[in-house]
Amino acid sequence: MNVSSRPVLLPGATLGVLGGGQLGRMFVHAAQRMGYFTAVLDPDAASPAGRVSHRHIHADYLDTKGLAELARVADAITTEFENVPAQALDQLAGHRSVAPGGQAVAIAQDRIREKAHFTRCGVPCAPHAVIETPEQLRAVPASLFPGILKTARLGYDGKGQATVHSAAELVSAWDGMNRVPCVLEQRLPLAFECSVVVARGADGHTVHLPPQRNLHRDGILAVTEVFDGVLSPERAAQATEAAHAIAQGLGYVGVLCVEFFVLEDGSLVVNEMAPRPHNSGHWSLDASDISQFELQVRTLAGLPLVAPRQHSPAIMLNLLGDIWWREGAQLPVEPDWAAVLALPGSHLHLYGKTDARRARKMGHLNVTGASVPAVRDTALRACALLGIAPF
Ligand code: ADP
Ligand code: MG
């Protein structure tokens, strides 16, 4: 059912979410704070969102009985999991309002369709070639080397990617990916990365969080910084306008995060989008009067969207499982949270995951403060305490 054809859902209604990870957990927290009931569909009994939701339906994303139960108990349904099958959203949309829609999610799930969408919206992306057949592989222009071969679907946190320097390396990399549909992107000289979170209502009204500057390590987001000056005003305006155009071009309803590269020559190139709140927007939980998760609740419930106001400079540090593993240790050691929380302006978010594996997102630390130097200083102290490399 189209969201615009539904009445506003007031607190007391039940909001459903497909997927039980940390993004679902923070959505559940935001919804509950505003007086909504929540239902989570996720197969894992110990999922971060399932554990805090009023209801947890233990079922797979394609389990028709589980989906039917979600549609029965929830008045509107969103997703937190990028790779949720679009057909699951379509099944639900026959019964309930669903945002974002399956069509937009399907585009965001497929780098080939995603890049075509960016181009349609007039936002430049990296020079690239689509590789679905051996003929397309052979026709790749030399100008794309060195390049990054990315699977069209199911990649995340740098997985499903390989750097290739020549046609021969491309052939073996594609073989290594079982010849699934891919894009080969020219490897660009990045100055830094940034992203913009927008929220678009069914009436087309769109608001955004300020652009975020992101530092990735090993393909995973490590640090996000948000304050005046992380981007030049021109670049910030360009990124924000591009994110609005991309959401509008999709007829999008919900929260969308668009990731960009800023190249060494200062130009802006869109990288990818996520049809949901994003790791780089987590700072908004503590430094914005409306968080990205509240925006998700508002778009799903059909509530008014007002422009969020950032009230503090912010730095977010991702807390990966690595910090549980001290050099030489045989067993994981819980980080010294008390020491971190002794730092003024530090806000700890842990996702309730028990198994601290390397590269696993266990939580994040938001740092706020009265000035940018104060926030930087606190964030660097937290890094030292936690064994995170300074930035
Ligand atoms: P994922 O879905 O894993 O986040 P991305 O396409 O965002 O995949 O790639 C992960 C990271 O790899 C990016 O954040 C960026 O640091 C680097 N990267 C990706 N594509 C390029 C490119 N064309 N040129 C340079 N660096 C890139
Ligand atoms: Mg990315």
Side-chain angles (χ1 to χ4, degrees), residues 111 148 150 156-158 161 185-186 188 193 271-272:
R111 291 189 196 275
I148 304 178
K150 303 180 180 181
Y156 69 99
D157 288 346
Q161 301 193 7
E185 268 177 52
Q186 191 181 65
L188 299 171
E193 298 181 58
N271 174 25
E272 59 175 355

Side-chain angles (χ1 to χ4, degrees), residues 82 108 114 252 255-259 272-278:
E82 185 156 0
E114 185 179 54
Y252 196 80
V255 170
L256 178 79
C257 179
V258 184
E259 293 183 73
E272 59 175 355
M273 62 183 170
R276 50 170 172 76
H278 191 260

Side-chain angles (χ1 to χ4, degrees), residues 26 48 59 78 94 116 143 156 175 182 192 231 265 271 316 369 382 384-385:
M26 291 181 271
T78 188
S143 61
Y156 69 99
D175 282 345
C182 283
F192 60 90
L231 262 76
D265 68 4
N271 174 25
M316 184 222 59
L385 287 168

Side-chain angles (χ1 to χ4, degrees), residues 18 67 77-79 84-94 98 100-102 105:
L18 272 172
L67 291 169
I77 297 154
T78 188
T79 169
V84 72
Q87 71 195 90
L89 293 175
D90 291 341
Q91 183 191 325
L92 291 167
V98 171
V105 171

